[in-house]
Amino acid sequence: MRRSLITATLALSAALSAVALTGCSMSGGSSQDSMPSVGAPESAPQGELGYESSDGGAVSDDTAGIPVGPRIITTVQVTVTVDKPIDAADEAARIVDRAGGTVANRSERAASENEPGSAQLTLRIPSAKLTATLEELKDLGVARDTSIDSTDVTAQSEDLDARIAALRTSVDRLLDLMAKADSTDALIKIESALSERQADLESLESQKRNLDDQVQLSTVTLYLISERDTPAETPDTFWTGLVAGWTAFVGFLNAALVVLGVLVPWLIAAGIVTAIVLLWVRLARRRKAAQSE
């Protein structure tokens, strides 16, 4: 009986252990099924991490400072014939001032009795108002010669923008490294590199400001002359040839009269000297003749 009771007890214990192990196995399997798989994360939607917008278009990089449209430097030279160049120069300065420009340089030749003078002005005019302002300047008199030169500097401007952006990023990184430097040696190296980057950045920014100024303000050289300073036109018809010939003839007569006026005093002086010499020769001959008798 004892032996049978022990055997039954051992069998019951084995059965209970088997049931417990089976339950643990099932519980472990269900827990594994309920946990999410650990693998590569799902790819983020395009547009959240990349440079594509939700509609597939590229997002422009505003930090690059790329200008919209071409950037043109315009220089103009214009010659205008006026009655009074000095007064016309004053009016030209007022026209440019109304347009928002400035007179960068001004030189004048003062008027005299025979010359009305002349003037030369270097003007900086906003490019957006160049055409209208140029027409007003031409209306000061008779526009004779106009020369316009345009240079596209878009590529140069974009290159400067890109280099400036890169240097600014480099300067910011060096400033961050300087704040985190833990040794004097590292701090000195960072300061040296930072000084070099900042000098290069200031140089490029100065070039960019100069370039932008030339783009925004066109340079106009204005020559104001009088009719007397105007070069003569080449005759191309019989009438213009006749007029040119008569003008040349009158000019020759005027020049001959001027030369004659200059020579008259010298001719009178030469005549007086000649008369004295002749008188002295005659007196000498008479004395010689009287002595021979």
Side-chain angles (χ1 to χ4, degrees), residues 20 38 46 49 70 81 96 114 148 159 212 218 225 228 259 268 271 286:
V38 180
Q46 192 174 16
L49 299 178
T81 301
V96 172
N114 300 322
I148 300 177
D159 179 66
D212 290 342
S218 299
I225 61 176
R228 296 180 183 180
V259 172
I268 293 175
R286 287 181 182 178

Side-chain angles (χ1 to χ4, degrees), residues 147-161:
S147 174
I148 300 177
D149 183 23
S150 298
T151 304
D152 191 340
V153 294
T154 304
Q156 183 179 354
S157 179
E158 292 177 353
D159 179 66
L160 285 174
D161 284 334

Side-chain angles (χ1 to χ4, degrees), residues 78 92 94-101 123-140 220 222:
V78 57
R94 287 189 286 269
I95 291 173
V96 172
D97 183 66
R98 288 196 299 268
L123 312 172
R124 303 300 309 282
I125 301 173
S127 299
K129 300 180 180 179
L130 176 61
T131 302
T133 306
L134 197 58
E135 291 300 323
E136 289 189 58
L137 294 175
K138 291 180 179 180
D139 290 339
L140 292 173
V220 177
L222 176 64

